[in-house]
Amino acid sequence: MVERDKLLDVQGLKTYFETDRGVVKAVDDISYHVKEGETVGIVGESGCGKSVTALSIMNLVQGPRGRVAGGKIMYTTKGGERVEITALPPYSPKMRAIRGSEISMIFQEPMTALNPVYTIGEQIAETVCLHQKVSKKKGRERAIEMLELVGIAAPSRRINEYPHQLSGGMRQRAMIGMALSCDPRFLIADEPTTALDVTIEAQILDLMLHLQEKLGMAMQFITHDLGVISTMAKRVVVMYTGHVVEKASVDDIFYDPRHPYTKGLLASVPTLGRQERLVPIKGTVPNMNELPKGCYFSPRCQEAMDICHQEEPPSYQLEGDHIVKCWLWEQEGVRLP
Ligand code: SF4
């Protein structure tokens, strides 16, 4: 019953990379799901595994260096078929049909994601022609329609411009247009506004919320900005060094955070009218080749106990769907397998 509701179901996913200094466990045994039409926020500092999770869903982690080493990603298609994405070869016809058409992605930096030698119109039209099997003329018409939808003025003229002729905000809008051109049911937005100034960021976030409502799609919104998450997401997954350390509703994360890392992230968010000083999390994310013993957050944690430096903490279920991976909840939480 619950399963059918889940558009995307990530179960114990492990994505590892072979490096000259050993195996890097960029994503290590994470589980979460996204229901139809909802937005789930994935937060954490750079290097916590957020983008690798997204690339795993797109089935774009390729050998010989990168591989999905365990777990699975299940996706329910438009036709109701449950597909195990992690079992499909990356360039199989089935995966190609899902990628871009059912699941789409907005990348962080449009200048590197858009092809500089093709006009934005050609790039959007190509996606449409490939996935919807329509003529070039129809593809071009759809490209104009998408540029209009994302608020680009004079779309029939702009369609002939190259990425370098557009401003940063315009390029990001064009990329959103391209990602949405085939009416995806699930959109992964990987830090889509990080490179933009705040006024453009507000416009783009507004646009995405509006389009989500209009198209009824689900979103996985990746960011290190908790302010953005509070506007966009209903549920939040907090990641640290490839692990999910806390997941809960957006209200629980903001008003009742339980993991010291989540508390640290919230304490370092600047807000208007805030009287007290910002408290940054001390230290930095550890090198993935030299992870500390026990809890990977222990060298930075203000509440670390002896056991934290010895043993990795299990995950505990607290009230409702609130889950936290921290020894502090050994007494009150229900230990998960
Ligand atoms: Fe801090 Fe220990 Fe919890 Fe890790 S397990 S977050 S070190 S209290």
Side-chain angles (χ1 to χ4, degrees):
M1 178 185 74
V2 183
E3 294 266 305
R4 213 178 308 148
D5 206 13
K6 292 177 183 172
L7 183 63
L8 183 89
D9 193 6
V10 177
Q11 303 171 2
L13 179 70
K14 297 177 180 181
T15 306
Y16 296 172
F17 293 89
E18 307 285 339
T19 72
D20 296 340
R21 298 176 61 201
V23 176
V24 165
K25 298 178 177 179
V27 168
D28 197 15
D29 198 8
I30 68 162
S31 298
Y32 67 93
H33 65 269
V34 183
K35 293 180 188 169
E36 290 199 30
E38 81 166 343
T39 300
V40 170
I42 311 271
V43 292
E45 292 162 287
S46 299
C48 286
K50 309 183 300 289
S51 297
V52 173
T53 305
L55 290 175
S56 305
I57 295 169
M58 295 295 279
N59 203 343
L60 287 174
V61 176
Q62 293 164 38
R65 293 257 164 170
R67 69 196 155 92
V68 171
K72 57 184 177 181
I73 299 171
M74 303 299 297
Y75 174 76
T76 308
T77 65
K78 274 176 199 163
E81 184 190 357
R82 289 223 348 133
V83 178
E84 187 181 341
I85 287 180
T86 33
L88 295 176
Y91 294 104
S92 59
K94 197 162 194 170
M95 192 61 233
R96 281 173 184 269
I98 291 174
R99 192 191 300 121
S101 168
E102 292 247 2
I103 305 178
S104 200
M105 183 160 170
I106 301 170
F107 294 89
Q108 184 173 353
E109 181 35 80
M111 208 47 195
T112 51
L114 292 170
N115 192 326
V117 298
Y118 290 99
T119 65
I120 51 163
E122 284 167 338
Q123 295 182 60
I124 298 175
E126 187 190 5
T127 312
V128 177
C129 293
L130 185 73
H131 289 291
Q132 301 195 333
K133 310 276 180 274
V134 294
S135 65
K136 279 190 174 175
K137 185 169 174 280
K138 286 264 181 241
R140 189 180 159 81
E141 283 168 11
R142 177 71 173 157
I144 294 172
E145 193 185 316
M146 291 317 294
L147 291 189
E148 194 165 13
L149 187 73
V150 296
I152 292 183
S156 41
R157 177 168 59 79
R158 292 285 190 172
I159 197 175
N160 299 317
E161 294 185 352
Y162 291 87
H164 75 271
Q165 293 175 284
L166 304 177
S167 67
M170 288 287 176
R171 277 196 292 269
Q172 193 60 289
R173 282 169 188 261
M175 198 152 73
I176 294 174
M178 183 151 68
L180 299 179
S181 60
C182 295
D183 297 335
R185 295 171 66 233
F186 182 55
L187 178 71
I188 301 172
D190 187 2
E191 310 248 13
T193 54
T194 304
L196 305 176
D197 62 55
V198 282
T199 49
I200 303 293
E201 178 181 51
Q203 287 176 21
I204 298 275
L205 294 180
D206 240 22
L207 171 72
M208 290 181 72
L209 281 173
H210 168 73
L211 292 176
Q212 182 185 26
E213 205 172 299
K214 190 170 169 195
L215 305 173
M217 68 189 174
M219 270 204 283
Q220 175 169 311
F221 204 96
I222 300 171
T223 180
H224 59 264
D225 187 335
L226 278 162
V228 170
I229 282 295
S230 67
T231 355
M232 301 299 288
K234 290 273 177 293
R235 288 189 301 119
V236 182
V237 174
V238 183
M239 286 188 75
Y240 188 73
T241 52
H243 289 134
V244 170
V245 294
E246 185 161 9
K247 52 183 176 180
S249 70
V250 72
D251 284 349
D252 281 347
I253 289 288
F254 276 85
Y255 298 112
D256 193 15
R258 304 295 179 90
H259 196 282
Y261 180 59
T262 314
K263 291 180 194 170
L265 288 176
L266 286 165
S268 48
V269 176
T271 46
L272 215 55
R274 183 179 184 140
Q275 300 295 318
E276 63 280 21
R277 290 174 72 96
L278 290 180
V279 187
I281 303 173
K282 67 169 185 175
T284 53
V285 177
N287 184 328
M288 293 297 280
N289 285 110
E290 293 162 6
L291 289 169
K293 196 176 172 201
C295 172
Y296 296 160
F297 188 58
S298 58
R300 307 175 73 188
C301 182
Q302 309 277 5
E303 300 177 63
M305 306 167 287
D306 287 347
I307 192 172
C308 304
H309 300 289
Q310 301 302 323
E311 285 181 50
E312 185 184 332
S315 292
Y316 297 96
Q317 172 114 36
L318 308 178
E319 54 295 327
D321 282 341
H322 202 146
I323 288 171
V324 64
K325 184 177 170 65
C326 171
W327 282 118
L328 290 172
W329 299 94
E330 171 74 359
Q331 300 299 325
E332 291 177 47
V334 176
R335 193 189 273 230
L336 295 172

